[in-house]
Amino acid sequence: MKIKKFVARDFKSAIKQAQYEMGSDAIILHTRQLKKNRFLGFLSPYHVEITVAVDENLKVNTDLKRERNPGYSSTELKDTIALKRQEAADMDNSAAEDQLLLELQQMKDMMTDIKMKMHEVGAIKGISDTAQHFYQILVSNNVNQDIALSIVSSIESNLPAQKMDDATWVRDVCINVLQEYISDISPITITPGKKGHIVFIVGPTGVGKTTTIAKLAANMTFLEKKTVALVTLDTYRVSAAEQLRTFAEIIGIPISVVFNAADFTEAIQDYQDNDIIFVDTAGRSPRNPQQMEELKGYMKLGQPDETILVLSVTTHSQDLIKIYRQFSPMNIDKVIFTKLDETYSYGQILNTVYEINKPVAYLTTGQNVPDDIEVPDPLHLASLLLRKDGLA
Ligand SMILES: Nc1nc2c(ncn2[C@@H]2O[C@H](COP(=O)(O)OP(=O)(O)O)[C@@H](O)[C@H]2O)c(=O)[nH]1
Ligand SMILES: [Mg+2]
């Protein structure tokens, strides 16, 4: 059975069309009046829809064909038609429901948009055009709207009225406030004379934990002349342990690949006379409580001096904050943001530190070991957050 829908101005023309295409044997399964669809601003010229079926078996009415393919008896045919009618009606109901839901959702989105715009307009009303311009730049760099508002709001209290429209002055105030917001910088520091400073590096999979450890280990060894040892708990994949082992060999520092608590304790003891011991961990899924428990177990044994959470700026702010919360039972001391080279907007960094209130230890800017890592410079970061469209 072949089924098709026809839409037209009125039933007569719809039926005519159906007859033309499906033949006179076609059966009308369902008819309906179409809603006047004004949603997009115009009215559709089609007001009715009919659903038509044609049964191939009935059309070819020779005995020969009937024998091979008997088609329907008249009761069967009635039943089939009733069934198809019901199906068609159900289909229409669910389609109409879907359409209604879609329209409702669109209206809800519109309301949210309007509410947000009203909030924005209300809040930035009275702020000079220049300040509003900087507000837009901050938002275009992914700075959370509320944070952007609080930054530009401070312009008024910081500038005399005659400077309020002076872009250079306004920018200066923004830079100052931004710098304050991201002033908590805390790279790894080892108390002179202290040995066996243990740093746990934790975070989701693939953010750059191992690469970052390699960078830090190399720089500390060659530039700061520290003795460094590595321990890796990442034994899920052979390649992961091998990756760090290779770096350790190139740098010429000891490494232990650890499979259980006893090995871990032993490794930590063995390395006690190094200045610093980095503990690399497997990318933990914060949603996997068993993995998190295991990690906590190692941390209890290792008693880290510092625990650093590695986050990638390619992740959305909201997710970064969630990830932090999920790792916070590990007592995160600081964060490292990686992959700055892979994005044009750095608002995520500001949004995250604003929310979690933890210092930033390092930023990483590429895959090269050991070069692509730096201690954050608040002034530089602030000016990045005021870049127009990620350019200049
Ligand atoms: N573009 C870019 N890639 C990075 C950066 N840091 C690490 N990566 C890459 O991210 C991938 C995962 O890194 P890895 O250190 O294995 O992540 P882990 O699973 O957290 O240990 C590798 O391809 C790294 O080269 C960075 O700052 N920028
Ligand atoms: Mg790794």
Side-chain angles (χ1 to χ4, degrees), residues 69-107:
N69 191 353
Y72 299 94
S73 71
S74 70
T75 16
E76 276 170 351
L77 182 63
K78 261 195 222 154
D79 289 345
T80 311
I81 292 172
L83 187 73
K84 292 290 169 195
R85 282 205 167 118
Q86 192 51 48
E87 276 176 23
D90 290 349
M91 239 167 68
D92 282 342
N93 280 342
S94 73
E97 251 170 49
D98 285 355
Q99 179 64 20
L100 202 66
L101 281 176
L102 182 74
E103 284 177 21
L104 264 172
Q105 187 54 49
Q106 283 169 333
M107 268 166 71

Side-chain angles (χ1 to χ4, degrees), residues 201-202 204-217 230-234 237 239-248 251 255 278-283 310 338 369:
I201 303 288
V202 300
T205 313
V207 290
K209 295 180 297 298
T210 304
T211 314
T212 304
I213 290 177
K215 292 171 183 173
L216 289 170
L230 306 179
V231 174
T232 180
L233 299 173
D234 189 358
R237 291 165 299 146
S239 58
E242 277 318 300
Q243 184 192 4
L244 196 59
R245 195 196 293 278
T246 309
F247 282 127
I251 304 166
I255 177 168
F278 281 107
V279 181
D280 192 8
T281 61
V310 180
T338 59
V369 178

Side-chain angles (χ1 to χ4, degrees), residues 287-315:
R287 296 205 199 137
N288 185 331
Q290 197 198 327
Q291 286 184 351
M292 294 301 255
E293 279 313 306
E294 199 187 306
L295 182 54
K296 265 199 228 166
Y298 280 114
M299 295 182 85
K300 215 167 158 189
L301 286 174
Q303 291 294 311
D305 294 281
E306 292 181 54
T307 301
I308 306 184
L309 173 65
V310 180
L311 297 169
S312 161
V313 289
T314 59
T315 313

Side-chain angles (χ1 to χ4, degrees), residues 164-294:
M164 219 80 95
D165 270 324
D166 185 325
T168 316
W169 284 75
V170 173
R171 188 174 187 280
D172 270 1
V173 175
C174 289
I175 288 271
N176 279 323
V177 181
L178 280 168
Q179 277 190 86
E180 254 168 55
Y181 282 9
I182 40 190
S183 58
D184 201 358
I185 306 296
S186 174
I188 297 170
T189 38
I190 306 166
T191 322
K194 184 182 178 287
K195 294 281 176 189
H197 186 88
I198 299 180
V199 181
F200 266 68
I201 303 288
V202 300
T205 313
V207 290
K209 295 180 297 298
T210 304
T211 314
T212 304
I213 290 177
K215 292 171 183 173
L216 289 170
N219 285 322
M220 286 177 174
T221 305
F222 298 122
L223 300 179
E224 297 180 32
K225 310 284 180 216
K226 301 278 188 229
T227 49
V228 182
L230 306 179
V231 174
T232 180
L233 299 173
D234 189 358
T235 50
Y236 283 103
R237 291 165 299 146
V238 179
S239 58
E242 277 318 300
Q243 184 192 4
L244 196 59
R245 195 196 293 278
T246 309
F247 282 127
E249 275 166 14
I250 295 170
I251 304 166
I253 54 175
I255 177 168
S256 276
V257 180
V258 154
F259 290 88
N260 55 44
D263 290 352
F264 180 68
T265 314
E266 201 185 314
I268 295 289
Q269 269 161 11
D270 281 355
Y271 295 150
Q272 269 314 311
D273 53 357
N274 283 272
D275 293 317
I276 185 161
I277 305 166
F278 281 107
V279 181
D280 192 8
T281 61
R284 298 289 150 158
S285 162
R287 296 205 199 137
N288 185 331
Q290 197 198 327
Q291 286 184 351
M292 294 301 255
E293 279 313 306
E294 199 187 306

